[in-house]
């Protein structure tokens, strides 16, 4: 476990492919999706918060701090990342989306060990980059704030500008599957053999 790293679960999106429903709160076997992500992240970091822009009270039932975007326009994962960087009490913050319940159990460790002298690192499965699974130093907050103020929204472009290092998790392709639709959620529930309590 990395006590010196704060984990932030990104649950602040619009979830358009989920019919606008709050993706993190979609129930799978009677448990909200974000809870599966939380249980995977908990052993990897010292403290955790949830980035959410609606249903804050429901996320708050987890007992975790809730961080909302500083702008009210749902401007994508970078807005949640900025809020997380500005709220964190640790120097390093790792971000994971609320819809990737199988992300590697070694995610934080690998990003930490392999970042070198970079102030940011993000995951890749060897074929595709997964920039929402990223480790960032809080000193990047002013640069990110400026980037968003210019109207920029592309996460990958920001990470490139910040000199982020891509960390490849080979043999982990399925670990990065995100559950975008109700069908995805149902399929994942069946694969895991989860039954409604």
């Amino acid at each position: 476990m990395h006590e010196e790293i704060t984990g932030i679960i990104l649950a602040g999106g619009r979830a358009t492919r989920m019919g606008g429903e709050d993706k993190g709160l979609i129930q799978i076997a009677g448990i909200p999706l974000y809870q599966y992500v939380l249980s995977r992240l908990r052993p990897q970091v010292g403290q955790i918060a949830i980035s959410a822009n609606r249903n804050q009270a429901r996320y708050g039932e987890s007992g975790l701090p809730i961080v909302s975007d500083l702008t009210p326009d749902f401007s994508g994962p970078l807005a949640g990342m900025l809020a997380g960087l500005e709220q964190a009490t640790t120097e390093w913050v790792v971000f994971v989306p609320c819809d990737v319940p199988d992300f590697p159990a070694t995610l934080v460790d690998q990003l930490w060990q392999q970042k070198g002298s970079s102030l940011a690192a993000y995951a890749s499965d060897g074929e595709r980059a997964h920039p929402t699974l990223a480790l960032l130093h809080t000193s990047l907050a002013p640069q990110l704030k400026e980037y968003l103020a210019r109207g920029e929204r592309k996460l990958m472009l920001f990470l490139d500008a910040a000199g982020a290092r891509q960390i490849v998790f080979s043999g982990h392709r399925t670990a990065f599957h995100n559950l975008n639709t109700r069908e995805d959620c149902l399929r994942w529930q069946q694969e895991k053999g989860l039954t409604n309590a």
Side-chain angles (χ1 to χ4, degrees):
M1 180 190 285
H2 288 273
E3 292 286 349
E4 72 282 26
I5 299 175
T6 298
I8 304 265
I9 297 172
L10 296 169
R14 287 185 197 271
T16 45
R17 281 182 280 188
M18 203 69 88
E21 271 188 86
D22 196 329
K23 203 189 280 191
L25 296 174
I26 294 283
Q27 301 270 320
I28 299 181
I31 296 169
L33 176 52
Y34 85 90
Q35 289 276 4
Y36 292 99
V37 174
L38 173 59
S39 63
R40 200 139 179 100
L41 184 58
R42 204 178 287 264
Q44 300 190 47
V45 292
Q47 48 191 301
I48 298 176
I50 298 173
S51 163
N53 293 313
R54 50 187 175 154
N55 301 311
Q56 283 96 336
R58 286 188 61 197
Y59 284 111
E61 289 166 9
S62 64
L64 297 172
I66 308 302
V67 179
S68 298
D69 291 358
L70 308 173
T71 53
D73 58 354
F74 287 92
S75 47
L78 280 174
M81 288 177 158
L82 176 59
L85 289 174
E86 295 205 330
Q87 297 276 327
T89 55
T90 55
E91 277 188 48
W92 290 92
V93 183
V94 73
F95 298 92
V96 294
C98 68
D99 61 351
V100 183
D102 284 334
F103 70 88
T106 58
L107 178 79
V108 177
D109 202 47
Q110 295 296 320
L111 293 175
W112 177 255
Q113 300 290 347
Q114 296 184 53
K115 67 178 170 40
S117 57
S118 298
L119 291 174
Y122 63 92
S124 162
D125 61 23
E127 286 185 20
R128 281 185 57 208
H130 298 281
T132 51
L133 291 107
L135 175 69
L136 275 68
H137 193 273
T138 51
S139 65
L140 290 170
Q143 187 181 335
L144 177 49
K145 195 178 220 168
E146 206 175 278
Y147 183 79
L148 287 170
R150 291 201 308 267
E152 300 286 356
R153 296 291 180 265
K154 289 195 164 55
L155 172 51
M156 206 60 234
L157 284 181
F158 174 75
L159 289 173
D160 285 344
R165 184 165 288 193
Q166 177 174 281
I167 310 302
V168 177
F169 291 76
S170 50
H172 280 81
R173 284 230 347 250
T174 57
F176 294 104
H177 282 172
N178 53 343
L179 309 183
N180 281 318
T181 64
R182 285 196 165 277
E183 291 71 37
D184 290 343
C185 292
L186 198 57
R187 194 176 309 118
W188 186 76
Q189 179 176 340
Q190 288 165 346
E191 282 169 10
K192 295 287 170 190
L194 299 169
T195 51
N196 288 325

